[in-house]
Amino acid sequence: MEANGSGTIVNAEQIERKIVDIRRHLHQYPELSHEEFETTAYIRKLLEDAGIRIAAQYTLKTGLIAEVGGLQGGPVIALRADIDALPIQEDTGLPFASRIPGKMHACGHDFHTAVILGAAFLLKEKEHELPGTVRLVFQPAEEKAAGAEKVLRSGALEGVRAIYGMHNKPDLPVGTIGIRPGPLMAAADGFLVELEGIGSHAAVPEASVDPVVAAAHLVTALQSIVSRNVSPLESAVISVTRLNTGTTWNVIPETAVLDGTVRTFDEEVRTRVVERFGEVVNGVAAAYGTKANLRWIQGPPPVNNDADLAEAARRTAERLGIAVVTPKPSPAGEDFAFYQKRIPGFFAFIGTSGPKEWHHPAFDVDERALFISASYFAELASAELKRFASEL
């Protein structure tokens, strides 16, 4: 990486070229959640080569924390990027496609990482002007909804005034940013239900307690929670995505297993759905003589944007000439929400004109969005530090 005498990157044009190269390198070498060792080392070297200090006091097994600014004291804000990939075989045909069989950056975390690195490089160029500190959070394990809590346990958000993050959005055009106060992404919970019955020959079902029949009725009954316990003005999704039972055609099995996901945008609705879920599972199981074992897998809460931060984000976008839209909330989950439980946070959707949705083998982003996004987050961080410093 070319640098001037102080070790920092020289100009915006170099940064633009550099972050395209960074994104392509990361795309070729994806690492799954909790395995991001080479990715972490690569990010560390880029930051060190740019003269950006690593905040080594915040210990993470994978991922890292760095800082720009702080030369004048002042407030601390954070920018977050997630760095992990998915267990998907890539089918893009890109010249820089994944070199790791069965692993792919199919959710664009390579894009996110390159953007926040670009923002860091831009902020480093004017570090002496910053009236505070920008803490850079390169977070592992977002796809497992486990990385944010690791960052929180490290203490990296102690004393941080606000945190800012993003996700690429394939259905928004390049040059567009989706800004929405309040709920933006859903709480993403999971469930596993095991129904225990009594097996028998299929020709003598009266000798059994059939878990297959119970499971079939349970799939239908669970849908009544959304239709009859959640207001039409609210939102919830219950999807049974797997039903596993039996081994052959003429035997009634002893067990049936169902699992799936529940998505909600409001904590009160989330609590109500969880309560009714257990009641419906136990009621259906009892009605058909089976025993139910329910395991609830609590995921991240809803991404809920602070209204004041969202308005500040809108002002920055308009100042830079970036088109602002109000996106529909996404039923996908994001563990950025754990940060928002601790401190005010803002999460944006960045237009990338993608050909396919997240988690598709042919997922890609339009790289023109890289520098637009890096410039936006550098400007947003600088403006927010000034705003918070003026309130001290």
Side-chain angles (χ1 to χ4, degrees), residues 97-113:
S98 172
R99 298 187 179 186
I100 313 299
K103 299 179 184 180
M104 177 191 175
H105 270 296
C107 205
H109 296 186
D110 53 338
F111 175 88
H112 304 163
T113 301

Side-chain angles (χ1 to χ4, degrees), residues 36-383:
E36 312 97 327
F37 296 101
E38 293 302 320
T39 301
T40 299
Y42 178 68
I43 294 168
R44 180 185 298 274
K45 185 173 191 309
L46 289 167
L47 292 168
E48 290 176 341
D49 286 352
I52 296 171
R53 64 185 179 275
I54 307 300
Q57 67 269 34
Y58 306 117
T59 304
L60 296 169
K61 187 175 180 181
T62 56
L64 60 84
I65 312 297
E67 292 180 339
V68 179
L71 306 181
Q72 307 172 40
V76 181
I77 64 169
L79 300 179
R80 176 268 205 171
D82 40 12
I83 67 173
D84 54 331
L86 286 159
I88 292 174
Q89 180 63 42
E90 181 163 349
D91 185 23
T92 61
L94 292 169
F96 52 89
S98 172
R99 298 187 179 186
I100 313 299
K103 299 179 184 180
M104 177 191 175
H105 270 296
C107 205
H109 296 186
D110 53 338
F111 175 88
H112 304 163
T113 301
V115 165
I116 297 305
L117 282 166
F121 300 154
L122 290 166
L123 288 165
K124 182 64 178 177
E125 287 296 302
K126 57 179 182 180
E127 185 173 32
H128 63 284
E129 301 174 9
L130 297 176
T133 301
V134 180
R135 192 161 293 163
L136 307 161
V137 178
F138 295 94
Q139 180 208 299
E142 187 279 329
E143 295 293 354
K144 295 292 186 182
E149 291 187 313
K150 292 180 182 295
V151 170
L152 288 167
R153 286 196 295 271
S154 78
L157 290 196
E158 297 298 324
V160 173
R161 179 69 180 270
I163 186 166
Y164 307 81
M166 61 159 162
H167 206 292
N168 68 86
K169 202 68 168 68
D171 58 338
L172 293 180
V174 170
T176 300
I177 182 169
I179 296 176
R180 185 184 188 93
L184 180 69
M185 300 183 75
D189 298 316
F191 60 85
L192 189 147
V193 180
E194 184 182 55
L195 297 171
E196 297 180 18
I198 298 173
S200 79
H201 195 294
V204 285
E206 72 277 10
S208 74
V209 175
D210 192 342
V212 179
V213 173
H217 280 270
L218 181 56
V219 171
T220 302
L222 288 172
Q223 302 309 311
S224 70
I225 297 173
V226 174
S227 65
R228 289 298 176 266
N229 301 121
V230 177
S231 166
L233 302 178
E234 297 170 326
S235 180
V237 173
I238 297 176
S239 292
V240 177
T241 56
R242 183 172 69 101
L243 200 170
N244 187 20
T245 185
T247 57
T248 190
W249 67 280
N250 61 351
V251 176
I252 293 175
E254 293 186 345
T255 62
V257 177
L258 305 85
D259 59 5
T261 186
V262 175
R263 305 296 169 112
T264 52
F265 289 95
D266 180 88
E267 288 290 3
E268 183 180 336
V269 173
R270 188 186 194 190
T271 299
R272 191 187 320 148
V273 169
V274 171
E275 291 174 352
R276 283 296 293 144
F277 196 99
E279 292 168 355
V280 170
V281 166
N282 290 324
V284 170
Y288 290 91
T290 58
K291 177 185 175 183
N293 301 304
L294 168 61
R295 181 161 71 94
W296 191 259
I297 305 158
Q298 186 168 353
V303 171
N304 199 339
N305 280 334
D306 180 271
D308 185 50
L309 298 185
E311 180 55 34
R314 179 182 296 276
R315 290 195 300 268
T316 296
E318 291 172 347
R319 189 164 60 251
L320 294 178
I322 298 173
V324 177
V325 299
T326 302
K328 294 179 180 179
S330 169
E334 235 293 346
D335 74 352
F336 186 86
F338 287 118
Y339 301 134
Q340 294 175 313
K341 285 286 189 179
R342 296 284 190 92
I343 61 174
F346 167 73
F347 198 76
F349 282 154
I350 300 294
T352 53
S353 300
K356 298 293 181 181
E357 259 297 349
W358 305 325
H359 296 207
H360 191 283
F363 172 90
D364 192 17
V365 299
D366 187 325
E367 292 179 333
R368 292 176 301 164
L370 282 164
F371 191 70
I372 295 171
S373 305
S375 300
Y376 172 75
F377 278 97
E379 177 63 24
L380 178 62
S382 179

Side-chain angles (χ1 to χ4, degrees), residues 4-48:
N4 61 24
S6 65
T8 58
I9 299 171
V10 177
N11 58 44
E13 184 179 342
Q14 288 181 330
I15 294 173
E16 184 170 8
R17 291 197 303 267
K18 185 66 183 178
I19 60 178
V20 170
D21 291 342
I22 289 170
R23 184 258 163 165
R24 293 182 178 187
H25 175 90
L26 291 169
H27 195 84
Q28 290 181 83
Y29 300 100
E31 295 180 295
L32 303 183
S33 299
H34 307 297
E35 300 175 3
E36 312 97 327
F37 296 101
E38 293 302 320
T39 301
T40 299
Y42 178 68
I43 294 168
R44 180 185 298 274
K45 185 173 191 309
L46 289 167
L47 292 168
E48 290 176 341

